[in-house]
């Protein structure tokens, strides 16, 4: 009898504490724009307000907090092509300020912000470089949704692809 009474008291106590913890109001929903809106910052890239395509590359001095705009161009989208573990004073970036469809590849000297053209792009979607910041592979999009990968040597892209990847695998 005492065991049954104790079990009933424990169940009633547990049910009462669960009832007391149940929220009375539903939590506020997160705004749809927080999930699906355009970002204002992505990594070191910053989109200017009111512009759909102006992503620029900034650097920040960790010690002083001073910011530097490495790519002060209008209507431009910048992408980082490669940051090397061996070459510390420069990186490779893609900049589409000449033709909005294609990113020309530049070597960016971090100390001076000097951009030097490495490859004038006339139709390649992406690039791969080695740790010495030499371009090695250029990817060209195909009409079927796949990609052709071309070897790059001496700043020239081989006409014949070294690999072809269809839509299913890209």
């Amino acid at each position: 009898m005492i065991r049954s009474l104790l079990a009933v008291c424990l169940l009633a106590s547990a049910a009462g504490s669960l009832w007391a913890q149940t929220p009375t109001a539903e939590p506020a929903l997160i705004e749809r724009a927080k999930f699906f809106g355009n970002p204002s910052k992505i990594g070191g890239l910053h989109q200017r307000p009111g512009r759909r395509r102006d992503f620029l590359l900034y650097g920040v001095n960790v010690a002083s907090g001073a910011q530097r705009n490495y790519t002060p161009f209008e209507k431009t989208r910048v992408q980082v092509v490669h940051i090397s573990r061996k070459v510390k004073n420069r990186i490779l970036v893609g900049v589409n300020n000449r033709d909005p469809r294609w990113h020309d590849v530049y070597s960016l000297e971090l100390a001076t912000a000097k951009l030097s053209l490495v490859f004038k792009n006339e139709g390649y979607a992406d690039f791969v470089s080695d740790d010495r910041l030499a371009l090695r592979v250029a990817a060209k999009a195909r009409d079927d949704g796949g990609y052709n990968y071309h070897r790059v040597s001496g700043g020239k892209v081989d006409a014949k692809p070294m690999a072809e990847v269809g839509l299913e695998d890209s």
Side-chain angles (χ1 to χ4, degrees), residues 82-84 87-92 106-111 114 118 132-134:
H82 191 88
I83 298 174
S84 171
V87 180
K88 302 290 185 182
N89 62 340
R90 62 187 177 93
I91 64 173
L92 290 182
Y106 288 88
S107 174
L108 169 64
E109 291 183 30
L110 299 172
K114 179 183 177 194
V118 173
R132 292 174 295 152
L133 299 180

Side-chain angles (χ1 to χ4, degrees), residues 118-119 135 152-157:
V118 173
F119 184 82
L135 292 181
V152 179
S153 56
K156 304 273 188 216
V157 178

Side-chain angles (χ1 to χ4, degrees), residues 14-26:
S17 66
L18 287 175
W19 181 262
Q21 293 176 0
T22 304
T24 56
E26 291 190 25

Side-chain angles (χ1 to χ4, degrees), residues 54-70:
D54 295 347
F55 284 91
L56 303 177
L57 182 66
Y58 286 82
V60 178
N61 182 315
V62 177
S64 69
Q67 296 182 15
R68 179 179 212 165
N69 184 353
Y70 286 119

Side-chain angles (χ1 to χ4, degrees), residues 125 139-149 163-170:
K140 188 171 196 98
R142 301 187 330 203
D143 291 339
D144 67 355
Y147 283 90
N148 288 342
Y149 293 92
E164 299 179 10
V165 177
L167 172 65
E168 302 82 25
D169 294 322
S170 61

